[in-house]
Amino acid sequence: MKRRAVQLSPGTGKPEQIATVLEHEIRSGVLGFGDRLQSENELVQRFSVSRNTVRKGLEELSSRGLITTKVGIGSFVTFDGKPVDDAIGWSRALADAGANAETRTLRLEVIEDTDLAALLGIESPFFIAVDRVRTNASDGHAISIERSRLPLSPELEDVPLRGLREGSLHQTLRAAGLIPDHGEEWVEIEMLNAEDAAILGCPQGTPFLRGRRLTRAADDRPIEYVTSLLNPAHFALHMRF
């Protein structure tokens, strides 16, 4: 259904205004549960803004818990059979999937990794390393380890000193204006080495799912490269075609 054009007000963030207009349409019933939003192109024309501004508006709407955005048709990770929508942040996505997870930060510092810089095709070899382990809050059994690498940039240079915003890497990136737009993910089986087994409290050689995910901004700039070890007692790879 075609909707009327909206003139945004000056002086207020355009993404927030877009999110507020769409939120009103959802809460008022104009858009029902499961309805599809207008396409990005339609929203660009409707609000007379750039595609990037529309995407930020949709990201804001997603952070308010009102929509879930998916890019195309492909593969996604599930937790106990429920899809994990990491577009809203890994911690919140696990909570929404029913995981009673407790997160502990193992590492938050600047590192140098020339091999990763070459892999990502960027000049600077400096990254912010964010390593975290998640366990079940009830009995302490292992859920996952995530090792994130963020290309060091002016937007993020103070993160190692002040920490993650509200303890969330998702919120930290979003506050810095680094909005994931597209990327790639690989999943394979890996036997835990001695170091990871000790962190997770599992026997060495235990098979875990190993995920590698690269997310990029709309301009193709790498935002995050994360390697995850996921307990296959909970996680699976679901493919849709």
Side-chain angles (χ1 to χ4, degrees):
M1 178 190 300
K2 187 173 182 179
R3 296 186 174 86
R4 64 181 180 82
V6 175
Q7 183 68 42
L8 300 180
S9 305
T12 306
K14 291 181 179 180
E16 288 76 13
Q17 291 186 63
I18 292 171
T20 298
V21 170
L22 296 176
E23 178 179 5
H24 174 73
E25 292 180 350
I26 292 169
R27 295 193 184 280
S28 66
V30 173
L31 285 168
F33 179 79
D35 283 355
R36 216 178 259 277
L37 291 178
Q38 291 172 286
S39 69
E40 284 188 359
N41 286 337
E42 289 172 327
L43 291 172
V44 164
Q45 295 176 10
R46 181 183 179 192
F47 292 101
S48 299
V49 295
S50 68
R51 183 181 296 271
N52 191 47
T53 299
V54 164
R55 287 173 176 168
K56 289 181 179 180
L58 295 177
E59 173 74 12
E60 172 63 26
L61 196 61
S62 177
S63 74
R64 298 180 189 181
L66 293 169
I67 64 168
T68 297
T69 56
K70 295 189 180 297
V71 181
I73 299 174
S75 305
F76 54 92
V77 172
T78 64
F79 181 90
D80 289 346
K82 299 177 182 177
V84 176
D85 178 20
D86 54 15
I88 62 175
W90 195 238
S91 295
R92 180 173 166 189
L94 285 176
D96 287 352
N100 184 19
E102 189 171 73
T103 303
R104 178 164 54 95
T105 299
L106 306 173
R107 185 186 198 188
L108 178 56
E109 62 183 358
V110 176
I111 64 168
E112 183 176 1
D113 190 332
T114 54
D115 290 340
L116 182 56
L119 176 67
L120 301 184
I122 58 179
E123 293 185 6
S124 174
F126 295 103
F127 296 83
I128 297 174
V130 185
D131 295 356
R132 292 169 295 174
V133 60
R134 301 183 198 271
T135 55
N136 182 278
S138 299
D139 60 16
H141 76 260
I143 292 178
S144 67
I145 293 178
E146 296 113 46
R147 294 186 170 97
S148 296
R149 300 295 179 262
L150 317 174
L152 187 60
S153 64
E155 301 98 323
L156 299 173
E157 60 186 5
D158 62 340
V159 169
L161 295 177
R162 63 175 173 81
L164 300 177
R165 185 184 181 95
E166 300 178 10
S168 167
L169 182 54
H170 172 76
Q171 292 293 338
T172 300
L173 292 171
R174 186 172 175 277
L178 300 174
I179 310 298
D181 177 78
H182 61 282
E184 302 173 80
E185 186 164 12
W186 304 262
V187 178
E188 58 222 0
I189 296 293
E190 179 173 296
M191 306 303 178
L192 293 182
N193 59 32
E195 178 186 357
D196 291 334
I199 293 172
L200 291 165
C202 297
Q204 183 176 349
T206 300
F208 263 55
L209 291 175
R210 179 175 183 261
R212 293 175 293 131
R213 187 176 73 249
L214 170 62
T215 54
R216 297 179 181 271
D219 62 2
D220 215 36
R221 170 187 178 185
I223 292 177
E224 179 190 13
Y225 182 83
V226 57
T227 301
S228 304
L229 289 171
L230 309 173
N231 188 337
H234 293 292
F235 292 96
L237 181 66
H238 181 97
M239 301 188 72
R240 179 179 293 163
F241 57 89

